[in-house]
């Protein structure tokens, strides 16, 4: 799995505090060695899920930030995303979230999985062992297009 997920999580943790109760949105973040599609409050550590890629390489990392119940760090598990009639199940592992103390799930996926979810609209359900959360897909398609373009850039 990509370790840049830790870099994104750290970046999010040290971002400026948000104004009271800002709305979570789909947005992208880019650095020299990775790009992320995030559902959360921009410029904060308030995130429900993100997708991460290394430009010019195949595949992506999907990380749920909703916690879990009964999942141990490093345990094999599944991350299930459901939107409309589209259901994607990703093999992953439990990872410790040092900020919240929870065990989140990090999994691998493909851009085609993300694109299938992005075109459904409505809401998407994030499901991991012992936790489930619905998020809006409003704005995901446009952000996913920008994310895909960033992921397609050749390595520098």
């Amino acid at each position: 799995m990509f370790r840049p997920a830790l870099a994104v999580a750290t970046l999010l943790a040290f971002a400026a505090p948000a104004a009271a109760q800002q709305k979570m949105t789909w947005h992208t973040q880019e650095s020299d060695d990775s790009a992320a599609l995030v559902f959360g409050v921009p410029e904060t550590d308030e995130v429900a899920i993100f997708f991460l890629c290394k430009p010019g390489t195949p595949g992506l990392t999907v990380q749920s930030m909703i916690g879990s119940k009964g999942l141990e760090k490093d345990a094999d598990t599944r991350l299930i995303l459901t939107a409309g009639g589209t259901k994607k199940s990703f093999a992953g592992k439990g990872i410790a979230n040092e900020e919240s103390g929870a065990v989140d799930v990090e999994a691998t996926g493909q851009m085609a999985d993300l694109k299938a979810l992005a075109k459904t609209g409505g809401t998407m359900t994030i499901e991991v062992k012992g936790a489930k959360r619905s998020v809006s897909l409003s704005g995901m398609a446009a952000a996913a297009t920008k994310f895909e373009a960033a992921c397609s850039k050749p390595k520098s």
Side-chain angles (χ1 to χ4, degrees):
M1 310 242 176
F2 293 123
R3 287 299 112 202
L6 294 176
V8 170
T10 301
L11 173 70
L12 295 171
F14 290 109
Q21 300 300 316
Q22 284 185 308
K23 183 179 174 186
M24 287 190 165
T25 61
W26 288 100
H27 56 280
T28 58
Q29 297 177 337
E30 291 184 54
S31 69
D32 290 340
D33 61 352
S34 66
L37 172 63
V38 181
F39 183 75
V41 177
E43 312 276 331
T44 73
D45 61 349
E46 191 176 343
V47 173
I49 191 167
F50 65 87
F51 299 82
L52 182 72
C53 73
K54 286 185 176 185
T57 62
L60 50 87
T61 297
V62 185
Q63 186 168 329
S64 161
M65 301 289 287
I66 65 170
S68 63
K69 188 172 184 177
L71 181 62
E72 305 256 337
K73 179 182 176 241
D74 295 323
D76 290 338
T77 191
R78 307 241 18 114
L79 169 58
I80 301 167
L81 303 178
T82 308
T86 303
K87 183 175 184 175
K88 299 291 180 178
S89 181
F90 304 93
K93 290 198 176 285
I95 58 166
N97 181 327
E98 294 180 18
E99 289 292 313
S100 70
V103 175
D104 290 315
V105 177
E106 180 181 278
T108 57
Q110 298 299 317
M111 188 62 69
D113 298 321
L114 172 62
K115 289 167 65 172
L117 291 161
K119 66 181 179 182
T120 62
T123 61
M124 176 174 71
T125 302
I126 305 164
E127 186 176 354
V128 297
K129 184 176 182 180
K132 190 185 251 190
R133 179 169 177 185
S134 291
V135 300
S136 171
L137 289 177
S138 178
M140 183 188 193
T145 298
K146 185 176 177 184
F147 174 67
E148 182 180 19
C151 293
S152 298
K153 290 179 184 174
K155 291 183 192 180
S156 20

